[in-house]
Amino acid sequence: MFSDIKNAIINFITHRLFALTVVFFALMAILVYRLFSLQIINGQDYLDNFTIMSKKTITTSGQRGNIYDCNGNLLAYNRLTYSLTFSNDSRIEEQAQSTGKTENAVKNEILYKLIQILEKNGDSIVNSFEIKRNKKGEFVFTNTDENAILSFKKEVYSVSSVDKLTKEQKEASAQEVFEYLKNGNADISEDKMFGVSDDYDDKTALKMVAIRYMLFLNRYNQYVPVTIAMDISEESVAAVKEAANELPGADIESDSVREYNYSPYFSQIVGYTGIISEEEKDTLNKGLPKSEQYTGNEVIGKTGLEQEFEDVLRGKNGTKTVLVDSVGQILQTNDDETLATTGNDIYLTIDAELEKKCYTIMEKYLAGIILSHFQNTNVKRTSSPINITTTEVYFALFDNNIIDMDHLHSAKASSAEKRVYNAIVSSKKSKLKTIRSEILSARTTQKTLSDENQDYMSYIYKMLCDNGIVKSSEVDSNDVTYQDWSNDKISLGEFLEYAIHKGWIDSSNFELSTDYYDTDEMMQALMDYIEEELLGDDEFSKKILEYLIDDGVVSGKDCCMILYDQGILESEKDEDYDKLVNGTMSAYSFMYQKIKKLEITPSQLALDPCSGSIVVTDVKTGKVKALVSYPSYDNNKLANNLDDEYYSKLISDKTSPFLNRCTQSSTAPGSTFKMVTAAAGLTEGVVSNSDRINCKGIYDTIPLSPKCSVYPGRHGRISITKALEVSCNIFFFEVGHRLGTRSDGTYDEEYGLKRLGKYAAMFGLDKTSGIELDENAPHISNQDVVRSAIGQGNNSYTPAQLSRYVTTIANSGTCYDLSILDKQTDSEGKTVKKYKKSVCNEVELDSSVWNQIHEGMYQVVHGEAHGSIFKSLHTEGAGKTGTAEEDKTRAAHALFVSYAPYENPEISVTVVVPYGYSSANAMEIARDVYKYYFSSSEKAAEKKDKKSKKTEDDEQAVVPVSNTLVD
């Protein structure tokens, strides 16, 4: 019975399911019939319009916040502009099908047209590609960091990690990577990579590959347009819009670019922005929620505060949801958009006008120091007083790339340029013949060659090492023959022959007629390689030019005339030009005048001194009012779309303009350190206020007896305040020695260094200054306590660290963490964070110790030695001079740390001039800073007095500075 019921139920369900199935298929048949029979839009079948859509989220970047100075002057902001974007477009595929071309070919033709439009109107593509062409036309990586290059190759070869790269891929040259991206491997079709035709020259092909690579990185987000040109002109906008039908995928979008005021005065502080790289994106996205992560097209801070406070300045991303088809074409935008927001604004403690004034003061004095040592001679003096020769000045125009060497042989070269170029070519041909003879004969030892030929041989050996021909890592530095070469006892040729036998030479770049060769054949091939390399080597051409100028073969007049020919100087309304042409002004006088007028600047010449730093700090808060580093650069040319030519020039600039000398340049403090020694000596009881130490001009208590700066003179018996005033080395040598002497009379170097170092640390010299920028670590000397006591040993500090030190002295004990930040505000102007003063530590010294230090520093400024310098300043101050010798063939560094007013200190001023000859030069710079700061009448004139122009011009006139003080 139960089985009958069961079977009945099964039959019922089976019949019902069968009926439902029949109905389902019937309905499907009707639907299919309707789809094929129903004619819709323009006679197209419904199925032809059926599209598979997917939902995607597009991230929109927020605006960056602004950066202001302490008075609300705008330093960094966003300017509205237009950008050219490119995205996937179904019309590209259609055009390829209709013309029988590949999609690559069609896309490349479109990009070529866009490049032509941009360049015709003075615009350029976004330059973020990791490969460029050097002056020789060779493909090289833009980054020298091996990890960055490997990260780039990881993206190129589409592997998940660097470890997945093959050996060949890891070792691929820039040329090989470029060729791979351009056409792919030989065994794959051109559609696998970019398929850039060989009909395009290398320069154009590189631009096209660069754009295609940006699109390649965006291949998983094809619905997001890629920006290929920023801040384009109205002419380019009009041209692209006019040719829109011929340029599928191209579009014009409203955008913003970062703009900087007060450049170059703030460039090293504010920094600049640029397109994010893949490596930067990976780093910054770590730990960020998906909604806040960076996309491949965003602008980020690259250096300075723009980089340090990226998370503050960057706006919050917005999102919008779109429906896209299978090829990434946007079909619909939904209404659920989240708007992007603007980042916070940052206000600095720095006064823009004070910053600008300090920068111009520094430049003026550097020019004055150069003029005081510039002599009409080509005889170089490397002992004190060191001079600057005409040869050095003329050659400097070429050596620091003020004059473009490539233009000397261009079609537009002037007669003066041609004369210089022909002289170089003729001389190079002769020199190469001599070099071949010297190397192959291997007869003449290095030391018996002329200075010029020694210079050439040393240059060639370095070139061979740099190019990997000499396997430097395999050369045994203890080898006798290598030692003989290092000590100029044998010729370069003899050493190279020996290196061949030892297997230290890589011959893979040579053209050898057979796999079996003897030493002579190898030397001939090596010499052929050297000649070929030197023929196209601009640096070698410069070496030849230096001797041609020195010998008078290339005239100073031609060097000066080229300044006009290349547009560095303007001849119109320049009376010096007329005098130079008609011979009434010599080339020496011409250059003297141009330096004096700052038409040729110290930074352009890159001769000593060409750099300097000034730090002005509020002694009651540690807030920095000026942070000046000279020379600097124009960050507007690097922001957004980097100017590759300008960037390359900055990288090769011998003055290192990217370097913020206030925080990234360290020197020995010299005698500015003596207040630390005074505090240590007085507090540790090794010297008292009433003690008198006898300066005999030489300190014979220790071996290799060091001398006082006045030797063979002497200071006689002096107190600690007098020792600070006259900067007596002997006095502080003795204090250092006493610090190293234990109570039982035994001398212990380590004991003394530890005692002295404790006080250096109390003044904050054991840590970075606190300034919110990248900064070198300080180093308190750990050798030779006697010499360390006068700031020698291996003491090393940045100007910012010295500023904190003297600020602590000025306020008698509060060691602040220095800061350049005042506050953050949101886009509505509401303060969201206030940067309060921060105390690092308190220096607890007896009031009598402070009095001795302050009195000594007061006498430095107002005593007999330097009183005349500060005589014109109506505010009393205090300070300490210092010089530090780093290279005996170059001038000493000049330093001055100070504060004012003396009775109730308001600011400290720290000045450091590398190779500045005399500390008195640094004093004069500081005096002019104080004069500007404290003169209320001058401040008012700077802001509103229409007659101030004459005063400003008079004040900025460069005069030779002839201070010779060394302490």
Side-chain angles (χ1 to χ4, degrees):
M1 178 179 176
F2 286 110
S3 63
D4 291 341
I5 294 172
K6 178 180 177 183
N7 290 334
I9 291 172
I10 291 172
N11 289 333
F12 176 80
I13 292 172
T14 302
H15 284 91
R16 288 286 183 181
L17 286 173
F18 177 76
L20 288 171
T21 302
V22 171
V23 171
F24 172 77
F25 279 107
L27 289 173
M28 287 299 296
I30 293 170
L31 177 61
V32 170
Y33 172 78
R34 291 287 295 167
L35 288 172
F36 278 96
S37 63
L38 183 63
Q39 299 295 310
I40 56 175
I41 307 172
N42 296 325
Q44 295 296 310
D45 291 338
Y46 185 81
L47 278 182
D48 289 341
N49 288 271
F50 181 76
T51 304
I52 297 175
M53 295 189 294
S54 59
K55 183 186 290 187
K56 298 290 183 181
T57 300
I58 294 179
T59 301
T60 55
S61 300
Q63 290 274 3
R64 290 182 78 80
N66 296 332
I67 302 176
Y68 298 87
D69 85 332
C70 65
N71 296 313
N73 291 309
L74 198 56
L75 303 178
Y77 65 100
N78 308 299
R79 176 171 57 82
L80 293 177
T81 184
Y82 292 106
S83 290
L84 174 61
T85 65
F86 195 87
S87 59
N88 202 21
D89 193 306
S90 59
R91 291 176 296 169
I92 295 174
E93 182 181 359
E94 293 169 4
Q95 190 172 325
Q97 291 174 349
S98 65
T99 59
K101 297 178 180 179
T102 64
E103 283 190 44
N104 261 338
V106 172
K107 196 173 288 185
N108 291 337
E109 287 172 3
I110 295 168
L111 293 177
Y112 178 71
K113 290 176 183 177
L114 290 172
I115 291 171
Q116 296 297 103
I117 289 172
L118 291 171
E119 295 185 346
K120 179 181 178 182
N121 296 302
D123 298 318
S124 59
I125 65 168
V126 169
N127 188 6
S128 59
F129 193 44
E130 284 86 345
I131 294 175
K132 66 178 182 178
R133 293 171 74 232
N134 61 18
K135 284 188 174 183
K136 297 179 182 178
E138 301 165 333
F139 290 95
V140 295
F141 294 111
T142 58
N143 204 320
T144 56
D145 180 67
E146 189 59 34
N147 290 330
I149 293 173
L150 288 173
S151 180
F152 168 55
K153 289 178 178 178
K154 172 179 76 73
E155 298 297 333
V156 168
Y157 295 111
S158 300
V159 295
S160 58
S161 69
V162 169
D163 295 336
K164 301 289 185 182
L165 290 168
T166 65
K167 183 175 183 293
E168 291 74 18
Q169 289 170 342
K170 286 181 178 179
E171 295 176 354
S173 66
Q175 173 81 42
E176 290 167 335
V177 173
F178 169 74
E179 292 294 342
Y180 173 79
L181 289 172
K182 181 183 175 188
N183 286 314
N185 287 330
D187 59 344
I188 62 175
S189 70
E190 66 170 1
D191 273 330
K192 293 290 181 67
M193 287 312 291
F194 303 155
V196 177
S197 170
D198 290 335
D199 292 340
Y200 299 111
D201 60 45
D202 282 349
K203 187 176 180 181
T204 303
L206 180 59
K207 295 172 187 174
M208 296 176 71
V209 168
I211 298 174
R212 291 299 305 274
Y213 183 68
M214 286 191 286
L215 299 175
F216 172 72
L217 292 177
N218 197 54
R219 61 193 180 279
Y220 300 122
N221 299 294
Q222 294 188 45
Y223 52 89
V224 179
V226 173
T227 300
I228 64 173
M230 304 173 70
D231 194 17
I232 63 175
S233 63
E234 292 183 3
E235 290 79 8
S236 289
V237 171
V240 171
K241 288 184 175 180
E242 186 177 340
N245 292 334
E246 303 171 23
L247 304 170
D251 197 10
I252 301 295
E253 292 188 4
S254 296
D255 202 353
S256 65
V257 293
R258 201 63 163 169
E259 197 88 357
Y260 300 104
N261 295 329
Y262 290 95
S263 182
Y265 314 112
F266 280 87
S267 294
Q268 295 145 336
I269 299 171
V270 172
Y272 59 88
T273 59
I275 299 290
I276 192 171
S277 69
E278 285 301 303
E279 185 181 21
E280 289 167 330
K281 187 173 69 171
D282 291 344
T283 300
L284 290 172
N285 280 343
K286 287 178 181 176
L288 286 180
K290 191 170 183 180
S291 61
E292 295 180 21
Q293 289 190 350
Y294 290 84
T295 64
N297 216 27
E298 283 195 56
V299 170
I300 63 166
K302 294 284 187 175
T303 63
L305 291 174
E306 291 277 28
Q307 181 185 48
E308 295 292 332
F309 289 86
E310 169 67 20
D311 59 335
V312 173
L313 293 164
R314 183 197 184 203
K316 188 175 182 181
N317 288 341
T319 59
K320 62 180 178 180
T321 306
V322 298
L323 297 178
V324 301
D325 61 18
S326 59
V327 294
Q329 191 102 344
I330 296 177
L331 302 176
Q332 181 181 320
T333 301
N334 294 345
D335 296 329
D336 58 345
E337 182 176 1
T338 302
L339 296 178
T341 59
T342 302
N344 286 344
D345 296 336
I346 292 178
Y347 285 77
L348 307 186
T349 61
I350 297 174
D351 182 328
E353 293 302 322
L354 177 62
E355 181 85 2
K356 179 180 177 181
K357 188 71 175 182
C358 289
Y359 189 94
T360 57
I361 289 171
M362 176 61 73
E363 185 171 61
K364 177 187 74 170
Y365 272 97
L366 292 178
I369 298 168
I370 289 172
L371 289 180
S372 68
H373 295 273
F374 181 28
Q375 297 178 351
N376 191 10
T377 178
N378 64 352
V379 179
K380 181 65 178 176
R381 193 168 54 239
T382 55
S383 58
S384 185
I386 296 171
N387 66 336
I388 299 172
T389 68
T390 52
T391 300
E392 289 179 288
V393 171
Y394 302 148
F395 178 61
L397 301 174
F398 298 89
D399 195 34
N400 201 33
N401 303 312
I402 304 172
I403 291 175
D404 182 1
M405 293 284 287
D406 290 337
H407 199 271
L408 299 181
H409 55 88
S410 70
K412 296 181 179 180
S414 67
S415 56
E417 289 176 296
K418 290 175 181 177
R419 281 193 295 273
V420 172
Y421 178 70
N422 290 335
I424 294 172
V425 170
S426 175
S427 181
K428 182 179 281 191
K429 185 182 295 184
S430 172
K431 300 302 179 188
L432 288 177
K433 185 180 290 186
T434 302
I435 289 169
R436 174 177 280 274
S437 174
E438 291 287 353
I439 289 178
L440 294 181
S441 67
R443 292 192 304 269
T444 311
T445 63
Q446 179 79 345
K447 67 172 58 176
T448 58
L449 294 174
S450 66
D451 289 344
E452 181 178 356
N453 284 336
Q454 283 188 47
D455 204 6
Y456 295 150
M457 295 300 175
S458 297
Y459 182 86
I460 290 168
Y461 180 70
K462 183 178 183 303
M463 178 192 75
L464 293 174
C465 291
D466 291 344
N467 293 357
I469 304 302
V470 173
K471 303 174 187 177
S472 303
S473 60
E474 297 182 20
V475 174
D476 181 3
S477 59
N478 295 317
D479 184 274
V480 174
T481 303
Y482 173 76
Q483 289 288 337
D484 285 345
W485 156 245
S486 299
N487 296 318
D488 298 336
K489 292 180 179 179
I490 62 174
S491 69
L492 176 59
E494 185 176 345
F495 173 73
L496 291 176
E497 285 184 3
Y498 181 76
I500 290 170
H501 287 296
K502 297 292 289 185
W504 296 341
I505 300 295
D506 180 0
S507 61
S508 60
N509 288 318
F510 303 162
E511 291 187 8
L512 294 163
S513 57
T514 175
D515 292 336
Y516 304 97
Y517 46 83
D518 58 23
T519 303
D520 288 342
E521 289 174 316
M522 184 76 160
M523 285 296 292
Q524 288 287 348
L526 176 57
M527 192 58 231
D528 291 342
Y529 171 85
I530 291 171
E531 278 195 22
E532 185 177 350
E533 286 294 303
L534 293 181
L535 278 171
D537 189 334
D538 281 348
E539 291 304 311
F540 185 67
S541 295
K542 285 181 182 179
K543 280 206 164 294
I544 289 174
L545 177 60
E546 182 175 12
Y547 287 102
L548 291 174
I549 293 172
D550 194 45
D551 294 338
V553 176
V554 169
S555 70
K557 181 176 180 179
D558 274 350
C559 296
C560 297
M561 289 300 299
I562 294 173
L563 293 172
Y564 293 103
D565 297 333
Q566 294 194 5
I568 298 151
L569 297 176
E570 296 293 334
S571 60
E572 188 176 353
K573 297 181 181 179
D574 186 346
E575 60 182 22
D576 293 336
Y577 172 78
D578 296 330
K579 292 178 181 177
L580 181 66
V581 171
N582 63 35
T584 57
M585 176 181 279
S586 68
Y588 165 77
S589 298
F590 173 85
M591 287 305 304
Y592 190 98
Q593 288 301 315
K594 292 307 173 191
I595 297 169
K596 184 176 182 179
K597 296 173 183 177
L598 291 176
E599 293 176 31
I600 296 294
T601 65
S603 65
Q604 289 177 302
L605 292 173
L607 298 171
D608 294 338
C610 61
S611 63
S613 56
I614 302 173
V615 185
V616 181
T617 304
D618 184 332
V619 303
K620 297 175 183 177
T621 64
K623 297 294 185 178
V624 177
K625 293 179 173 291
L627 191 73
V628 176
S629 176
Y630 179 93
S632 188
Y633 60 94
D634 184 355
N635 47 355
N636 285 301
K637 291 186 177 182
L638 303 182
N640 312 303
N641 184 22
L642 184 141
D643 182 332
D644 186 58
E645 185 178 341
Y646 182 66
Y647 179 78
S648 297
K649 189 171 183 180
L650 293 176
I651 289 294
S652 63
D653 193 319
K654 296 181 182 299
T655 65
S656 303
F658 282 125
L659 189 70
N660 187 330
R661 286 173 166 79
C662 296
T663 59
Q664 296 174 310
S665 180
S666 303
T667 63
S671 293
T672 63
F673 187 82
K674 287 174 179 174
M675 287 82 77
V676 171
T677 307
L682 289 167
T683 305
E684 295 294 322
V686 301
V687 67
S688 69
N689 299 344
S690 59
D691 274 358
R692 300 292 184 271
I693 293 175
N694 186 25
C695 168
K696 298 181 291 183
I698 188 167
Y699 191 67
D700 54 12
T701 306
I702 61 174
L704 302 175
S705 304
K707 301 176 177 63
C708 196
S709 59
V710 296
Y711 182 82
R714 61 179 64 193
H715 289 119
R717 297 180 62 80
I718 55 175
S719 66
I720 196 163
T721 55
K722 189 66 176 179
L724 283 171
E725 176 190 346
V726 299
S727 201
C728 177
N729 288 343
I730 304 303
F731 187 99
F732 289 98
F733 285 149
E734 176 60 20
V735 174
H737 193 272
R738 291 181 185 183
L739 285 170
T741 304
R742 292 185 176 274
S743 57
D744 62 1
T746 59
Y747 181 71
D748 186 336
E749 188 86 47
E750 293 301 319
Y751 174 65
L753 287 167
K754 185 176 180 180
R755 294 173 86 184
L756 183 61
K758 180 180 80 170
Y759 287 86
M762 287 167 61
F763 284 97
L765 292 173
D766 62 334
K767 55 182 71 70
T768 53
S769 68
I771 288 174
E772 297 86 353
L773 294 170
D774 186 39
E775 184 173 355
N776 291 355
H779 184 77
I780 297 174
S781 183
N782 57 5
Q783 63 183 34
D784 193 347
V785 67
V786 170
R787 290 176 175 82
S788 294
I790 68 163
Q792 295 179 4
N794 55 7
N795 278 302
S796 182
Y797 311 107
T798 67
Q801 290 152 17
L802 293 177
S803 177
R804 174 158 72 173
Y805 156 57
V806 74
T807 294
T808 305
I809 295 173
N811 63 45
S812 297
T814 302
C815 182
Y816 290 107
D817 286 325
L818 303 191
S819 175
I820 58 173
L821 299 182
D822 179 31
K823 62 181 178 180
Q824 288 180 31
T825 65
D826 61 21
S827 58
E828 301 298 320
K830 181 182 177 181
T831 299
V832 295
K833 182 175 182 178
K834 183 71 176 176
Y835 294 91
K836 298 178 181 178
K837 62 184 179 182
S838 172
V839 177
C840 176
N841 64 276
E842 294 285 348
V843 181
E844 302 290 345
L845 298 179
D846 190 85
S847 60
S848 63
V849 175
W850 285 120
N851 290 340
Q852 292 292 303
I853 292 172
H854 289 308
E855 175 64 19
M857 293 178 71
Y858 177 87
Q859 291 301 329
V860 169
V861 172
H862 300 283
E864 292 180 8
H866 310 298
S868 60
I869 293 177
F870 271 72
K871 188 176 182 180
S872 60
L873 185 66
H874 300 301
T875 303
E876 290 188 328
K880 184 68 192 80
T881 55
T883 55
E885 187 177 76
E886 183 178 314
D887 183 340
K888 291 185 180 297
T889 66
R890 301 173 73 176
H893 303 318
L895 301 92
F896 184 63
V897 297
S898 61
Y899 62 86
Y902 178 68
E903 291 297 338
N904 184 22
E906 185 176 331
I907 60 170
S908 68
V909 175
T910 299
V911 177
V912 178
V913 182
Y915 309 107
Y917 287 85
S918 165
S919 56
N921 293 330
M923 280 189 79
E924 292 202 7
I925 293 169
R927 178 205 59 206
D928 281 9
V929 172
Y930 283 121
K931 188 181 292 186
Y932 171 79
Y933 185 87
F934 287 115
S935 176
S936 59
S937 59
E938 185 177 353
K939 284 183 180 180
E942 289 284 332
K943 294 178 180 178
K944 61 186 179 181
D945 190 346
K946 294 181 180 180
K947 297 180 180 179
S948 67
K949 183 66 171 67
K950 182 177 185 300
T951 305
E952 177 76 6
D953 288 343
D954 289 345
E955 186 178 322
Q956 290 306 311
V958 175
V959 294
V961 180
S962 56
N963 293 307
T964 57
L965 175 70
V966 177
D967 59 297

